Amino acid sequence: MIRWSYVGSRAALLALVWAFFAFAVDPLARRAFEKSASRALGAKVTLRKLNTRVLPPTLRIAGLAAADPSDPMRDLLRVEKARFSFEAAPLLERKLVIRAAEVEGVTWGAPRKRSGAVRREPPSQASVALAKWAGGAKDLGLGGAASAKADLARSYTVKPEDLSSVKLARALEEGWPARFDAWKKKTDAFDAEGRIRELSDLAGKAGAGEPASRLAALGRFKERSEALRKDAAALRSGVEGELAAARADLKAVEAAKAADLAELEKRLHLPRFDSERLSAYLVGEQGAKRLSTALRVLAAARKRMPSKGEPSAKEAARGVTVEFPRAERSLPGFWLRQAKLTGSAELGTPLAFGGEAVDFSSNPPLLAEPARLRLGGGADGRKLLISAELDHRRPTPRDVLEFRLDGQSVGEFTAGDPASFSVGVGAGTADVSGAVTLAGDALSGRVDFVEKGVRLVPRAAGLDPALARALASALEGVDVLKVGVVLGGTLQQPELRVESNLGGALSGALGKALGKEAAARAGELRAQVDRLAGERVKGLQGQLDARAKGLLGSLGVEERLGELQKRALGGGKPLPDLRRLFR
């Protein structure tokens, strides 16, 4: 007999389970993805559609849009649709292993209708460092160039008490004697001469007399010479450390002297128009924003691809999941085993690309190979190549990214600050290439941008007319824009150095516009600073050289010990196996 109450309750439960997975899982997963991705990127991430399927295990997404944190009215990335196929067996262990993926309709830099800004999180160390650098690059001081010649005519005397280099040199003059006198007392107490005389007496006894007394003298000679050598080495190491610190003090005075000169030039409205600084002024702010976004994405990715090492204090407090090895190799919680990638990037006009991604996982040390990405494509004279290798299998992760885009059309844009001085860059065709390495936290690499067939138009707001004409003349024959960005520093404290052909051209034009009067006045300032600080540096250097010669000279015992050893072994009748004492 069928118990309908039993069957009905079970059927109702199954219906509820089915309804949950059919109507609730996908919306919940979509919202969870949007929330976590937005938090990691620092800008709004939205997903129009997310659909899962159990048999076969499949995930489909559509309408992915990730805003650019540095420009919330543009999207950093858009994906029209993507499909991911999962292996079924690992799902029983709550692990995701993607065996195939297809991505289509990729777009970079598209404008948004609404801002993608989110509630701002505290800025990262890298963002703070880059913003500070960009602010310094923007503060070029071109506005002061108009009044530079008038200021040059005014007399200006450098006061020693205003120079930080002179203050620092005075402090060293007062502090160095006590530091060196302390080491002089130590070398005097060491009494190298007295100990050498004692060893000389023992060498004489070892070189003549009865074998037994010679052997005893040799034993004492060996023991005391080794003690002298060891004590001298230790004392020499300390003296050399003190001398190295003193040399660093002198370098600090030189750096302070350069800072003094820069401050004086700023007060006198003498802009420093060197090529590198001009290049940083023109394109540094945009480059810093792009790098800040890239480092934020990379930092977020590293959190999800931990290397093999000790857990952080935060992880230790809350606990971490440990995947223990079994008879066969354990699987990570997430593993993109091998995915064929196809799609098109909207780079002005669509550019089809294809490639693959292999071994991206949440626990790289469990895998035999590093994560790799290869993409390539081309159309209408354009060529795109991207390759990346992320090796997080060891305590020190190493990420390498290389990319190249040739023949890309670029629209008009403005370099510099329109409120002061800027350069309008006309439309042209550009080649972009770069190689970036992150070994541990050490950042290194270079990115090059070359745009051909451009027209450059300088724009000077309120600038001296003669200066504006000089700048325009410098760019008349330039139809190629070359920009190089050199990366350094660390993931938390990145450093940038910008090079460009515009910087060199504008630097020469500005130097001529300021004229010989500016160069002469700058030379006078430099001479005054060199005289006031340089005399003290010269005195300090002489003091350092004299102290070094005296302190190290009193510790030069090696040559004399060698002579005494030969004397101890060379005199009298040779003894069997005597030289073994000094092996």
Side-chain angles (χ1 to χ4, degrees):
M1 180 177 176
I2 299 176
R3 296 176 57 189
W4 292 106
S5 60
Y6 178 86
V7 174
S9 62
R10 268 58 179 180
L13 178 60
L14 290 174
L16 287 173
V17 172
W18 175 85
F20 174 77
F21 280 97
F23 300 106
V25 168
D26 291 352
L28 289 174
R30 179 173 61 83
R31 285 194 290 269
F33 171 80
E34 290 177 338
K35 184 177 180 180
S36 61
S38 298
R39 185 185 304 112
L41 181 60
K44 186 175 293 185
V45 178
T46 57
L47 192 60
R48 187 176 69 247
K49 184 178 180 181
L50 182 148
N51 178 257
T52 58
R53 185 175 178 181
V54 177
L55 295 175
T58 307
L59 170 66
R60 297 175 185 268
I61 64 172
L64 171 66
D68 188 339
S70 62
D71 186 359
M73 291 306 296
R74 288 189 175 274
D75 276 330
L76 183 68
L77 174 71
R78 286 183 187 174
V79 176
E80 184 61 30
K81 58 182 178 179
R83 181 178 182 274
F84 303 93
S85 299
F86 301 91
E87 294 186 6
L91 291 174
L92 300 176
E93 302 179 30
R94 295 188 298 175
K95 296 184 177 183
L96 298 178
V97 177
I98 301 175
R99 57 181 175 82
E102 295 180 3
V103 181
E104 299 179 14
V106 179
T107 307
W108 288 286
R112 294 174 59 94
K113 294 182 179 179
R114 296 181 179 178
S115 173
V118 297
R119 184 177 62 85
R120 297 190 64 85
E121 299 289 336
S124 64
Q125 293 185 33
S127 298
V128 172
L130 289 171
K132 183 178 180 181
W133 178 88
K138 190 174 180 180
D139 184 21
L140 184 63
L142 272 170
S147 58
K149 290 190 176 182
D151 291 331
L152 288 171
R154 302 171 187 171
S155 60
Y156 187 85
T157 303
V158 179
K159 299 179 180 179
E161 59 269 20
D162 293 337
L163 298 178
S164 59
S165 54
V166 172
K167 294 177 183 177
L168 180 57
R170 285 175 175 171
L172 295 179
E173 289 172 346
E174 296 174 0
W176 270 13
R179 289 164 56 182
F180 288 127
D181 288 344
W183 284 102
K184 181 65 168 56
K185 291 180 180 179
K186 293 180 181 180
T187 57
D188 290 344
F190 176 65
D191 191 18
E193 290 298 325
R195 296 171 72 171
I196 287 290
R197 286 194 298 271
E198 182 183 3
L199 288 171
S200 178
D201 293 340
L202 289 174
K205 294 178 181 179
E210 297 297 324
S213 61
R214 289 178 61 194
L215 283 174
L218 276 172
R220 292 194 301 274
F221 180 87
K222 176 178 180 294
E223 178 183 351
R224 295 178 186 180
S225 63
E226 289 179 350
L228 176 59
R229 184 178 286 110
K230 181 178 179 181
D231 293 344
L235 195 54
R236 174 182 286 273
S237 177
V239 170
E240 289 176 344
E242 185 63 42
L243 294 175
R247 295 187 189 99
D249 291 339
L250 285 179
K251 289 184 178 180
V253 175
E254 292 291 345
K257 186 173 72 172
D260 286 334
L261 182 60
E263 179 62 25
L264 289 172
E265 289 179 348
K266 181 179 178 182
R267 288 162 57 182
L268 285 173
H269 305 288
L270 299 180
R272 299 172 60 195
F273 299 125
D274 60 273
S275 175
E276 183 177 328
R277 191 165 182 232
L278 278 165
S279 299
Y281 166 78
L282 291 172
V283 299
E285 185 174 11
Q286 297 179 14
K289 287 182 178 179
R290 294 290 177 265
L291 180 59
S292 178
T293 299
L295 293 182
R296 186 182 182 96
V297 173
L298 180 57
R302 278 202 162 185
K303 289 181 180 179
R304 286 153 179 78
M305 292 183 63
S307 59
K308 183 179 181 181
E310 294 295 328
S312 65
K314 186 175 180 180
E315 290 173 331
R318 72 185 182 193
V320 294
T321 300
V322 180
E323 294 161 324
F324 291 100
R326 302 171 303 183
E328 57 186 49
R329 190 161 51 120
S330 295
L331 296 176
F334 170 81
W335 182 12
L336 177 62
R337 175 171 284 179
Q338 184 174 17
K340 298 293 183 181
L341 305 176
T342 60
S344 62
E346 292 293 334
L347 299 172
T349 57
L351 177 64
F353 66 82
E356 67 173 4
V358 296
D359 288 333
F360 283 80
S361 80
S362 59
N363 196 342
L366 292 179
L367 305 184
E369 297 293 331
R372 292 189 176 93
L373 172 68
R374 299 286 186 273
L375 293 176
D380 303 324
R382 293 178 297 168
K383 186 176 182 181
L384 172 67
L385 293 173
I386 299 176
S387 67
E389 181 175 290
L390 289 72
D391 193 350
H392 291 205
R393 298 170 298 160
R394 296 174 179 81
T396 301
R398 179 180 175 84
D399 302 324
V400 180
L401 170 66
E402 297 179 355
F403 57 90
R404 185 174 189 89
L405 175 61
D406 294 336
Q408 175 62 34
S409 297
V410 179
E412 296 182 357
F413 65 94
T414 299
D417 183 4
S420 176
F421 172 74
S422 62
V423 176
V425 182
T429 302
D431 297 337
V432 185
S433 61
V436 181
T437 299
L438 186 62
D441 281 341
L443 179 67
S444 62
R446 181 185 176 93
V447 179
D448 288 292
F449 175 90
V450 180
E451 184 178 0
K452 303 175 183 177
V454 297
R455 181 171 177 265
L456 304 174
V457 181
R459 303 186 180 102
L463 211 58
D464 179 73
L467 184 61
R469 287 194 297 271
L471 295 175
S473 176
L475 300 179
E476 280 182 356
V478 180
D479 60 356
V480 177
L481 173 60
K482 298 180 180 179
V483 179
V485 180
V486 181
L487 306 178
T490 65
L491 183 61
Q492 294 78 24
Q493 294 289 332
E495 298 173 358
L496 293 183
R497 183 165 57 84
V498 183
E499 306 166 350
S500 76
N501 60 332
L502 295 187
L506 295 177
S507 176
L510 289 169
K512 292 178 181 178
L514 288 176
K516 293 182 179 180
E517 188 177 0
R521 184 58 181 141
E524 293 173 8
L525 285 173
R526 188 172 291 104
Q528 291 184 64
V529 174
D530 284 339
R531 178 177 56 81
L532 293 171
E535 291 176 355
R536 293 186 178 275
V537 170
K538 184 178 180 180
L540 288 170
Q541 184 64 60
Q543 183 183 157
L544 177 61
D545 293 341
R547 291 285 193 161
K549 182 178 180 181
L551 292 173
L552 295 177
S554 64
L555 300 175
V557 299
E558 285 295 333
E559 183 177 351
R560 300 172 71 180
L561 283 176
E563 294 174 355
L564 291 175
Q565 181 176 319
K566 292 179 182 179
R567 178 182 167 192
L569 293 173
K573 184 178 179 181
L575 293 172
D577 300 326
L578 193 58
R579 298 180 186 271
R580 292 182 180 177
L581 288 170
F582 295 93
R583 288 182 181 176

